[in-house]
Amino acid sequence: MKKLLLVLMALVFLFPVNGKTQNDDPFLLVFRLKSHLSFLASDSLEGRSLGSHGKIMAKNYIAEQFQSFGLQPYDDDYFQDFELRIQLVNILGTNVVGYLPGADPILKDEFIVIGAHYDHLGYFFRGDEKVIYNGADDNASGTAAVIELARYFSENREAIGRSIIFIAFDAEESGLIGAKRFINENTTFSTSDIRLMFSLDMVGMYSSHKKLDMRGSGSLAGGVKLFEGIASNQGIITGSTAADISQYTDTGPFGDAGIPSIHVFTGTRSPYHKPEDTWDLLDYEGMAEITKFLQELITELSQVPELKPSGQFAALQQPGAVRFDWGIVFNIGGSHQYYPDEFYRAKSVFAFSTGAFGQVHLGKRFTIQPEILYDNNGSQSPEGIFRRHEITTPLNLQYNPANESNEMVRAFPFIGPYYSYTFAGKNNLDGLNYDDLYDDQEWGVSMGIGMDIMKLQMAFTYRQGLTNISRSPDKEFYYKGLYFTMGYKF
């Protein structure tokens, strides 16, 4: 019985069903996607971390798929090997690369890249138990879809005008290293001939996300209109189609090279970067719909006479280009009153502030970050606890010494003025008298060091008031605060 079942499965893969190719049958597409995921996100691959046996098994599996479809190899084989250093250890990374020459005698010299990273976070031990980050949605899902797109186009070679490069990137989780090495070090393709790039990164949660984000669609001239038209015909609901390139997936290095790049994404609805991200939780029917949509879209894109960056994207590539971000921020720490004419200072009390921030990126070196905060600060006082409720508006200038504002990790010092308006307060149990004793407005300076890690921002922030809080002629004191800052960019 088992032998008969294996024979039937082989027949399903090898021969058309009811006159259809394998790629025309949605049931078979779902079946194959599940088959890829059940292997790539299995416990036996132990999370596909850098340098692991499981990652080697994954790269060989992908290469075998490419070979079975008849893709042309990257060089002598399908592997672009590169060495990277993690702390004191040199580790071998490998991109898996195959391509199909286009059928158009002119357009075949131009390339469209379809990529997905196949590495993940490995495993850790909880006592004697090995806990594995299987990485089903992140990003066995995108890898499986790339494999199925390679299958489809290998069976429909006459339909593609431009040549198509299929890449499974390594070391994405370590800082997009595989994509960077392909852009900077590959010896087979010229970066100047690549017209468009797709990164399929986390595409397994369409029904939960209720839309397909195509961030970067606006980086291609006419891209949004074309994408949304095909999506509408297929019943696909699209989300983000911005012109700016996502820096948190493999589109980042391609966008930095001036190549329009699209992040195909169904959100972080899965247990993102958690051991619970397993292959049985994914929406395979949704993945099949996305794959079918990309089949039609990429076929059309391979045939259009010209693929070029949009004006908005081209403007973002200029050295002095201005970009915008925004998010929320929370500061927690302590504050106290400082008496410049005395030999003592007041003891600190708990202080915090929270609110929203914006970021204006001026080229690659500088970022201006305005904030608007609810600020609760205070100090020990002779009467008890002195506490103020304020609206505070810092305006900080960040300097990026690495000259790489688009990196996943960005460290920076910052400094700038702030203004505070006190709308309520108490000194012990008594309300603050702003007519005679206290000033309800304050100017000061904030400074510190910070770091952006993808969408997260962390910093140590020091604030020094420059305005005397007291209106009493015989008393002078100023505010000081030290905070740990956490922010999140949307």
Side-chain angles (χ1 to χ4, degrees):
M1 184 66 181
K2 288 184 179 179
K3 290 184 178 179
L4 177 61
L5 180 60
L6 291 172
V7 171
L8 290 174
M9 289 177 63
L11 290 173
V12 163
F13 274 86
L14 291 174
F15 297 101
V17 179
N18 296 331
K20 298 180 179 181
T21 68
Q22 296 178 40
N23 285 288
D24 289 328
D25 192 308
F27 171 79
L28 292 179
L29 182 55
V30 168
F31 179 84
R32 287 195 302 271
L33 289 167
K34 282 186 178 180
S35 177
H36 298 315
L37 263 295
S38 64
F39 175 74
L40 292 170
S42 65
D43 285 351
S44 62
L45 267 65
E46 296 184 325
R48 309 184 305 277
S49 61
L50 273 172
S52 69
H53 179 65
K55 200 217 67 176
I56 294 172
M57 293 172 63
K59 79 170 187 179
N60 289 335
Y61 177 87
I62 299 163
E64 289 166 4
Q65 299 294 316
F66 285 1
Q67 184 177 33
S68 71
F69 305 151
L71 268 61
Q72 298 294 310
Y74 166 73
D75 195 356
D76 295 330
D77 54 28
Y78 294 94
F79 301 131
Q80 181 199 5
D81 293 323
F82 54 88
E83 197 171 79
L84 62 155
R85 190 172 182 83
I86 305 295
Q87 295 180 347
L88 299 178
V89 181
N90 290 334
I91 298 176
L92 184 69
T94 306
N95 293 330
V96 188
V97 187
Y99 71 99
L100 291 171
D104 188 284
I106 298 175
L107 296 178
K108 69 178 183 180
D109 293 329
E110 299 177 2
F111 296 92
I112 296 173
V113 170
I114 305 174
H117 77 90
Y118 71 99
D119 64 306
H120 199 49
L121 303 179
Y123 61 87
F124 69 96
F125 282 96
R126 184 187 293 140
D128 294 332
E129 178 190 8
K130 180 186 286 186
V131 181
I132 299 171
Y133 293 95
N134 295 107
D137 193 28
D138 183 20
N139 183 38
S141 66
T143 304
V146 168
I147 291 172
E148 286 306 308
L149 287 169
R151 180 196 302 273
Y152 173 83
F153 287 112
S154 70
E155 295 177 358
N156 296 274
R157 301 181 189 218
E158 74 287 347
I160 57 174
R162 290 178 174 83
S163 300
I164 302 179
I165 305 170
F166 301 90
I167 310 178
F169 294 107
D170 199 358
E172 189 267 0
E173 300 285 2
S174 301
L176 314 181
I177 295 173
K180 292 175 183 176
R181 294 298 178 89
F182 180 82
I183 285 290
N184 297 321
E185 299 176 11
N186 95 82
T187 57
T188 303
F189 309 101
S190 172
T191 300
S192 62
D193 293 330
I194 299 174
R195 296 291 180 264
L196 181 64
M197 187 269 184
F198 290 89
S199 173
L200 282 62
D201 193 352
M202 301 181 67
V203 295
M205 287 286 165
Y206 179 62
S207 59
S208 299
H209 194 51
K210 304 188 187 307
K211 59 185 177 181
L212 176 64
D213 289 331
M214 300 280 288
R215 182 176 175 184
S217 302
S219 66
L220 179 69
V224 174
K225 183 178 180 180
L226 174 63
F227 297 178
E228 290 184 343
I230 293 175
S232 177
N233 290 338
Q234 293 202 14
I236 295 287
I237 301 170
T238 55
S240 172
T241 55
D244 61 311
I245 305 299
S246 174
Q247 299 298 323
Y248 311 123
T249 185
D250 292 307
T251 52
F254 286 81
D256 292 344
I259 299 168
S261 305
I262 293 95
H263 179 196
V264 185
F265 180 54
T266 58
T268 53
R269 300 282 177 169
S270 57
Y272 175 64
H273 280 190
K274 295 180 180 179
E276 292 78 18
D277 181 13
T278 54
W279 71 273
D280 56 300
L281 300 180
L282 301 191
D283 170 23
Y284 290 96
E285 288 74 17
M287 285 180 62
E289 290 182 48
I290 292 168
T291 305
K292 300 287 284 185
F293 163 65
L294 291 173
Q295 290 171 4
E296 182 178 348
L297 174 62
I298 294 167
T299 300
E300 179 75 16
L301 289 166
S302 77
Q303 298 172 354
V304 298
E306 185 178 29
L307 293 177
K308 64 179 183 179
S310 67
Q312 185 178 359
F313 175 65
L316 289 172
Q317 302 310 300
Q318 299 303 312
V322 177
R323 298 183 298 108
F324 300 92
D325 287 310
W326 70 279
I328 56 175
V329 65
F330 182 75
N331 301 284
I332 184 170
S335 65
H336 67 271
Q337 295 171 357
Y338 164 65
Y339 302 87
D341 296 331
E342 306 292 346
F343 65 89
Y344 56 84
R345 48 152 278 192
K347 291 183 179 179
S348 295
V349 298
F350 173 75
F352 72 93
S353 59
T354 186
F357 70 87
Q359 286 186 333
V360 183
H361 302 279
L362 306 174
K364 295 184 177 181
R365 285 289 190 187
F366 297 98
T367 297
I368 297 175
Q369 180 163 312
E371 304 174 14
I372 181 166
L373 309 171
Y374 161 69
D375 193 359
N376 186 311
N377 62 70
S379 176
Q380 292 276 2
S381 73
E383 293 77 23
I385 300 294
F386 177 93
R387 186 162 292 280
R388 300 183 298 173
H389 303 273
E390 301 182 311
I391 299 297
T392 300
T393 55
L395 181 64
N396 292 320
L397 177 65
Q398 302 171 358
Y399 173 70
N400 185 6
N403 195 26
E404 286 289 346
S405 63
N406 290 332
E407 289 292 327
M408 294 177 68
V409 179
R410 181 177 71 96
F412 52 87
F414 63 90
I415 189 170
Y418 73 83
Y419 167 78
S420 291
Y421 172 73
T422 305
F423 60 87
K426 286 186 176 181
N427 189 9
N428 198 18
L429 300 178
D430 298 327
L432 299 183
N433 182 343
Y434 292 110
D435 293 328
D436 302 314
L437 298 181
Y438 301 103
D439 199 331
D440 60 0
Q441 300 186 60
E442 177 183 279
W443 289 90
V445 62
S446 59
M447 64 188 75
I449 55 173
M451 177 178 292
D452 284 348
I453 304 175
M454 299 181 68
K455 293 186 177 184
L456 294 177
Q457 183 176 104
M458 296 184 292
F460 287 101
T461 302
Y462 172 73
R463 290 191 202 147
Q464 167 71 66
L466 302 178
T467 304
N468 183 13
I469 298 172
S470 173
R471 289 187 174 181
S472 175
D474 59 348
K475 184 182 294 185
E476 183 179 5
F477 60 93
Y478 299 83
Y479 155 80
K480 287 187 177 183
L482 182 63
Y483 300 88
F484 176 69
T485 299
M486 286 288 294
Y488 181 83
K489 291 190 287 188
F490 294 99

